Amino acid sequence: MNDSENRDNKPKVLGLKSGTNTVRQSFSHGRSKSVVVETKKKKLLISKKSPVIEENKKDEVAEIETNENEEILRRKKAIEASRAEEKKLLEQNKQEKKSLDKESKPIEVKEQNKIPEPINLETPDLTGSKKRTKTESNQKTSYENKTRDNSEKSNFKSTKLNENKRRSGKITITQALGDDGGRQRSIASLRRRQEKEKRQMLETSFEREKIIRDVQIPDTPLTVQELANRMAERSADLVKKLMTNGIMVTKNQAIDIDTATLLVEEFGHHAIRVSDADVEDVIINIDDKNGGTKSPRPPVVTIMGHVDHGKTTLLDSLRKTNIVSSEAGGITQHIGAYQITVNNNQKLTFLDTPGHEAFSNMRSRGATITDIVVLVVAADDSVKPQTIEAINHAKEAKVPMIVAINKIDKQGSDPNKVRTELLQHGIIVESMSGDVLEAEISATNGTGLEKLLENITLQAELLELKTNEKRPAEGTVVEAKLDMGRGPVATVLVQKGTLKKGDIFVVGQQWGKVRALFNDKKEKIDLALPSTPVEVLGLNGTPEAGDILNVLPSEAKAREISLYREQNIKNKKNTVGMGSSLDQLLAKAKEDEKLSILPIIVKSDVRGSGEAIVQAMEKIKSEEVEVRVVHSGVGAITESDITLALSSNSIIIGFNVRANTAARENASQKKIDIRYYSIIYDLVDDITKAAEGLLSPEIRETFIGYAKIQEVFKITGVGKIAGCLVTEGHAKRDVGVRLLREDVVIHTGKLKTLKRFKDEVKEVQSGQECGMAFEAYEDIRKDDVIEIFTTQEVARTLN
């Protein structure tokens, strides 16, 4: 509200005339209110003026003026007394503030003339009515105008200063006096500030000695809050320091390794760079921490060779069991681990690996954990591709080899041919003045087995195999599977130390506690010494074949290493293809459009078989078709596999496993194709045929004749007709034709009409004239040549 508005809104003075008048009342905190006052003047019924009455009237007026002046004086004295009391109170407050803080500025309080509300003086007339003389009215009006002007100015200031605080509750002295000097600190606020300053002075005077810490900084980025916790510092201090260096972050945001290192040094601590892989140091150093004497251990012998050369039959004869009958199709599809005892109480551990080419990875894994390789070669079949592959695996593993020439009792066998062909691959046996031990055997009737065992024992003595049995166990997973009754089961070959019931271990991405141990004869045992194959129960998941098992001191360490390895695998999977450019991704997407893909889901009984199937499927591909394994796992086919097959339009392959009841019903409803196999040959053949069905058929053309255009006729309503002479072969109507102009193909299509004279014919022989017209093409000229051919679709193969 400005001054002009203040003058315009000045309340009217209450008059004596009859009518309605408005009076504005002022209250504290700048509040005001307009009141409507109605005054009426009563008429006096006097017949005539009496001198006595006039005299009395004058006396009455004089008495009213005297009383009014006394009332005004009394109110003025009350106001002055109130102001004096306020001044006294202000002085006391100033003294208290000075005593509290001599350095702090005293609160400046300006006095404001506090004008009381206007006094409404009314005097009854002689007859009891409220009347005023003209003099009284003028005096009253001037006083009230002055009072209201001062009051409204004060109210305007108060309203302007406290516009948004009209209902703020308690008021200060400054607000009560209408001081416009701005907001001032209260006494309580000054006291709090003084106490805070005293505490800070005490803390600085008794400042504790700073603790310098060794802060570990990992390879991965960490948040400011996490770094602050490691430094035992306030996260707000770290954020402030980063902001002063131009890095705007919050406590929940991550910072890189270099920034974290600089920040640690800024706060006076020592930064130590560590890697997440350090969690595996407990495994690496475990052998150094546990001393002890080394004792001899049994050798690990791996039997290798081509498929159907008699590897498993040989092992049957050595164990005096019949394992071949339990394998589907008479071939080994798992790695078998067995232990036997020979005549001199010498224990030998045998690993039987598959011979089919799909199991090359399993054979390679067997060669890396073995001490001696027995190469079985059939005398009637000699050296084959898998034989050569087994030789290469043994050479890469740098393990000694013993050649077992099998099937010497079979008609057509030639052991010398085997020895000669082995020379081509650098294998020179003893009979040919070499250093490779050999034995001619017959696995079926047991001929030569004693000689073979003697050679194995001799080779083991030369190797002097020893290990520490007292240290925590370490071994390799030969095979792993998911048993419906026992859960995840791993066949482990213990290589170092002793594996006992109750040991806590980590194997690959999995960890567990040994719940039970079973030997190769399915007998329950309490411990497994070095070179002992054993089935381990108690894993939290199915490991991969070839994973290393390590016994750890605590469950916490096992969990930590398992989580680290799992996260490491995820990170590697996520980074695959991240380096590809946009052009490369677009090119790959364009290639996939041209490529026909056969998606499959593989579920097998053991890990090794699943790996072999996946490798075999990856080889079934060409430029136009490819078999893609969407998912592979161990165990029965479940509903989740059906859901995945439905979303990816895949075929489910069950190798030695079956679908459960819920999965079968779900697959039947959703029409998902499930195929069961127990022999890998049949599986590979069927998938190959299915992939070949995706190939577009080959179109083969057979030329049946040529015709030369001698004249071109244009017929109304028909178009151009070529008058031709069949120069070679014959012309047919429902076959393909090409128009050649100077030996260049101009058009390829079909004939619309073929006429002999005026008649439509199906065929015209060589040397005859005819009329030809092309479908939807009329650019034909004299001397053009028409090539006539038939087409045939031929199914293609991947070979």
Side-chain angles (χ1 to χ4, degrees):
M1 183 183 293
N2 52 30
D3 295 339
S4 62
E5 291 177 351
N6 190 20
R7 289 193 299 271
D8 295 340
N9 295 332
K10 185 166 60 176
K12 298 180 181 179
V13 180
L14 186 62
L16 297 177
K17 295 182 179 181
S18 62
T20 302
N21 294 281
T22 302
V23 177
R24 182 180 294 276
Q25 293 182 339
S26 300
F27 302 92
S28 61
H29 301 291
R31 293 178 296 169
S32 62
K33 182 178 179 182
S34 297
V35 181
V36 178
V37 180
E38 182 178 359
T39 59
K40 293 183 179 180
K41 185 176 180 181
K42 293 184 179 180
K43 294 183 179 180
L44 295 176
L45 299 175
I46 302 173
S47 60
K48 61 180 179 177
K49 293 183 180 180
S50 173
V52 178
I53 293 173
E54 292 291 333
E55 188 65 26
N56 291 337
K57 189 175 182 180
K58 289 180 181 179
D59 295 340
E60 185 69 24
V61 169
E63 185 178 355
I64 289 172
E65 289 178 356
T66 303
N67 293 337
E68 185 179 13
N69 292 335
E70 290 177 357
E71 181 67 21
I72 291 171
L73 291 174
R74 183 177 64 78
R75 288 181 177 272
K76 284 183 179 180
K77 288 180 180 180
I79 290 171
E80 289 176 358
S82 176
R83 287 178 178 174
E85 187 69 23
E86 289 177 358
K87 285 182 180 180
K88 186 177 180 181
L89 182 60
L90 289 174
E91 289 296 331
Q92 290 178 358
N93 290 339
K94 288 180 181 179
Q95 293 297 327
E96 288 180 2
K97 291 176 183 177
K98 286 180 180 179
S99 63
L100 289 174
D101 187 9
K102 294 181 180 181
E103 296 179 359
S104 60
K105 295 181 180 181
I107 298 176
E108 296 181 2
V109 181
K110 295 182 179 181
E111 292 187 11
Q112 181 175 347
N113 295 331
K114 190 172 181 181
I115 306 300
E117 294 183 2
I119 304 170
N120 188 11
L121 299 176
E122 296 180 353
T123 54
D125 56 6
L126 294 175
T127 60
S129 62
K130 297 180 181 179
K131 294 182 181 180
R132 291 186 179 87
T133 60
K134 187 175 183 180
T135 305
E136 292 174 319
S137 178
N138 291 337
Q139 290 177 354
K140 182 72 174 179
T141 302
S142 61
Y143 174 76
E144 287 179 351
N145 288 341
K146 185 176 181 181
T147 302
R148 289 195 182 97
D149 288 342
N150 293 334
S151 177
E152 287 186 2
K153 287 180 182 179
S154 177
N155 291 338
F156 174 73
K157 291 181 181 179
S158 178
T159 303
K160 190 173 182 180
L161 290 173
N162 304 287
E163 185 176 1
N164 297 324
K165 299 181 180 179
R166 292 188 174 184
R167 306 211 177 258
S168 59
K170 297 180 180 180
I171 61 172
T172 62
I173 297 172
T174 307
Q175 289 176 338
L177 297 176
D179 188 10
D180 58 352
R183 181 180 178 184
Q184 301 292 334
R185 284 183 175 271
S186 64
I187 298 174
S189 175
L190 293 173
R191 286 177 178 171
R192 287 194 298 269
R193 190 181 69 179
Q194 289 174 3
E195 290 175 1
K196 183 179 179 181
E197 290 175 356
K198 287 179 182 179
R199 286 196 303 270
Q200 290 177 351
M201 290 177 64
L202 289 173
E203 289 176 0
T204 52
S205 61
F206 298 102
E207 185 176 3
R208 292 178 295 179
E209 185 178 354
K210 185 177 181 63
I211 300 174
I212 299 175
R213 304 178 187 276
D214 293 335
V215 182
Q216 294 185 351
I217 301 176
D219 288 340
T220 56
L222 72 166
T223 62
V224 177
Q225 181 66 60
E226 186 179 354
L227 182 61
N229 294 339
R230 297 189 180 194
M231 296 168 58
E233 301 282 353
R234 294 173 63 249
S235 59
D237 295 339
L238 271 68
V239 172
K240 185 177 179 181
K241 178 67 70 175
L242 289 169
M243 287 184 175
T244 55
N245 292 328
I247 303 174
M248 311 300 290
V249 294
T250 63
K251 67 178 183 179
N252 295 323
Q253 285 182 301
I255 55 177
D256 56 52
I257 304 169
D258 296 332
T259 304
T261 304
L262 293 174
L263 201 57
V264 170
E265 293 174 353
E266 286 265 351
F267 280 83
H269 300 291
H270 299 306
I272 300 176
R273 296 283 289 273
V274 297
S275 173
D276 289 340
D278 294 341
V279 298
E280 298 200 19
D281 288 346
V282 65
I283 297 176
I284 298 171
N285 300 325
I286 202 166
D287 201 11
D288 301 329
K289 295 179 182 178
N290 296 275
T293 58
K294 293 184 178 181
S295 57
R297 66 172 178 84
V300 179
V301 183
T302 301
I303 299 177
M304 289 186 169
H306 191 69
V307 63
D308 200 27
H309 274 205
K311 300 183 299 298
T312 307
T313 306
L314 171 61
L315 190 59
D316 288 347
S317 299
L318 294 174
R319 295 184 67 206
K320 301 208 174 28
T321 58
N322 186 13
I323 301 172
V324 175
S325 60
S326 64
E327 292 285 355
I331 62 171
T332 301
Q333 303 184 102
H334 308 144
I335 292 182
Y338 315 98
Q339 194 172 60
I340 65 172
T341 303
V342 294
N343 296 331
N344 56 355
N345 292 327
Q346 171 72 41
K347 289 185 177 181
L348 302 176
T349 300
F350 285 91
L351 298 180
D352 180 22
T353 61
H356 189 270
E357 63 177 354
F359 295 90
S360 60
N361 190 30
M362 298 173 69
R363 279 199 306 278
S364 174
R365 189 179 303 123
T368 58
I369 62 176
T370 189
D371 300 315
I372 302 171
V373 170
V374 174
L375 182 64
V376 179
V377 185
D380 62 336
D381 204 13
S382 193
V383 178
K384 291 296 179 182
Q386 276 72 53
T387 309
I388 299 170
E389 189 179 337
I391 294 171
N392 295 332
H393 286 319
K395 287 181 177 180
E396 290 176 5
K398 297 180 180 180
V399 293
M401 185 183 302
I402 298 174
V403 177
I405 302 175
N406 193 20
K407 301 183 181 181
I408 59 172
D409 58 338
K410 199 171 183 179
Q411 187 176 3
S413 63
D414 187 359
N416 290 326
K417 181 182 178 182
V418 175
R419 295 185 180 97
T420 304
E421 290 187 1
L422 287 174
L423 290 173
Q424 300 176 7
H425 304 285
I427 305 298
I428 306 174
V429 297
E430 277 188 328
S431 60
M432 301 184 74
S433 303
D435 56 353
V436 177
L437 298 176
E438 62 172 325
E440 294 184 5
I441 64 171
S442 173
T444 305
N445 53 31
T447 306
L449 295 185
E450 292 183 0
K451 176 68 174 175
L452 177 62
L453 291 174
E454 183 181 343
N455 289 341
I456 293 172
T457 305
L458 177 62
Q459 188 67 60
E461 289 176 357
L462 294 174
L463 294 175
E464 296 182 353
L465 303 172
K466 291 184 179 181
T467 187
N468 179 17
E469 296 180 358
K470 304 298 182 182
R471 61 153 284 168
E474 178 181 319
T476 302
V477 177
V478 176
E479 195 56 85
K481 61 182 178 180
L482 182 63
D483 193 294
M484 295 303 293
R486 301 185 296 174
V489 179
T491 302
V492 178
L493 177 65
V494 181
Q495 295 171 288
K496 299 177 182 178
T498 302
L499 183 63
K500 301 181 292 294
K501 184 179 178 180
D503 283 346
I504 296 170
F505 62 89
V506 62
V507 51
Q509 302 178 49
Q510 314 300 332
W511 71 277
K513 184 177 182 180
V514 178
R515 184 159 50 89
L517 296 173
F518 294 90
N519 61 13
D520 58 322
K521 298 176 183 177
K522 306 300 179 183
E523 298 172 348
K524 197 169 185 180
I525 59 176
D526 293 330
L527 54 88
L529 296 173
S531 299
T532 302
V534 63
E535 279 190 347
V536 180
L537 276 67
L539 294 94
N540 71 326
T542 307
E544 299 287 340
D547 287 343
I548 305 299
L549 180 144
N550 296 100
V551 173
L552 298 177
S554 66
E555 183 177 322
K557 286 289 183 183
R559 287 177 180 271
E560 187 178 7
I561 295 173
S562 175
L563 289 173
Y564 161 71
R565 291 176 176 176
E566 184 179 356
Q567 187 62 42
N568 198 22
I569 295 296
K570 286 181 180 179
N571 293 339
K572 288 181 180 179
K573 289 181 179 179
N574 292 335
T575 54
V576 173
M578 291 181 64
S580 301
S581 64
L582 181 60
D583 294 337
Q584 291 173 338
L585 292 174
L586 292 174
K588 187 177 183 304
K590 194 172 182 180
E591 289 177 3
D592 290 342
E593 289 180 358
K594 300 178 181 178
L595 192 66
S596 297
I597 297 174
L598 176 63
I600 63 172
I601 296 172
V602 178
K603 295 300 290 288
S604 60
D605 55 342
V606 293
R607 285 281 185 188
S609 299
E611 290 178 359
I613 293 169
V614 171
Q615 290 176 2
M617 296 300 101
E618 289 175 352
K619 295 179 181 179
I620 304 174
K621 61 181 178 179
S622 66
E623 295 180 355
E624 297 181 24
V625 69
E626 177 184 328
V627 177
R628 186 169 296 176
V629 179
V630 177
H631 170 69
S632 64
V634 176
I637 300 170
T638 61
E639 285 186 282
S640 60
D641 299 322
I642 304 299
T643 304
L644 180 59
L646 182 64
S647 60
S648 59
N649 196 24
S650 303
I651 299 172
I652 299 178
I653 303 297
F655 190 78
N656 288 333
V657 295
R658 294 293 183 268
N660 57 35
T661 305
R664 286 198 302 269
E665 293 176 356
N666 200 357
S668 177
Q669 292 174 0
K670 297 177 180 177
K671 297 182 180 179
I672 300 299
D673 188 9
I674 301 178
R675 300 186 182 184
Y676 301 112
Y677 298 93
S678 58
I679 300 175
I680 199 168
Y681 298 116
D682 300 335
L683 169 61
V684 174
D685 291 343
D686 285 358
I687 297 301
T688 302
K689 291 177 182 178
E692 289 174 349
L694 297 176
L695 289 171
S696 57
E698 182 182 354
I699 307 299
R700 293 183 181 177
E701 295 182 353
T702 304
F703 298 100
I704 60 174
Y706 288 91
K708 185 176 182 180
I709 300 176
Q710 294 181 332
E711 196 66 48
V712 177
F713 305 97
K714 189 171 183 180
I715 300 174
T716 305
V718 178
K720 291 184 178 180
I721 301 293
C724 305
L725 175 66
V726 179
T727 58
E728 183 179 344
H730 60 276
K732 294 181 71 174
R733 183 176 177 183
D734 298 325
V735 294
V737 290
R738 288 191 183 94
L739 182 65
L740 306 179
R741 185 173 297 161
E742 296 179 357
D743 295 329
V744 177
V745 178
I746 303 300
H747 173 70
T748 301
K750 289 185 177 182
L751 292 177
K752 180 173 63 174
T753 182
L754 176 63
K755 290 188 176 184
R756 174 80 173 145
F757 298 108
K758 293 184 179 181
D759 299 327
E760 286 280 349
V761 293
K762 292 183 178 180
E763 187 175 336
V764 178
Q765 298 298 324
S766 177
Q768 295 179 349
E769 293 182 348
C770 62
M772 295 184 185
F774 292 88
E775 289 184 355
Y777 190 80
E778 292 187 351
D779 184 16
I780 52 178
R781 302 177 187 176
K782 185 180 179 181
D783 296 330
D784 287 348
V785 177
I786 298 175
E787 185 180 70
I788 306 142
F789 61 92
T790 59
T791 58
Q792 182 183 3
E793 292 185 356
V794 180
R796 298 169 58 192
T797 61
L798 295 172
N799 298 327

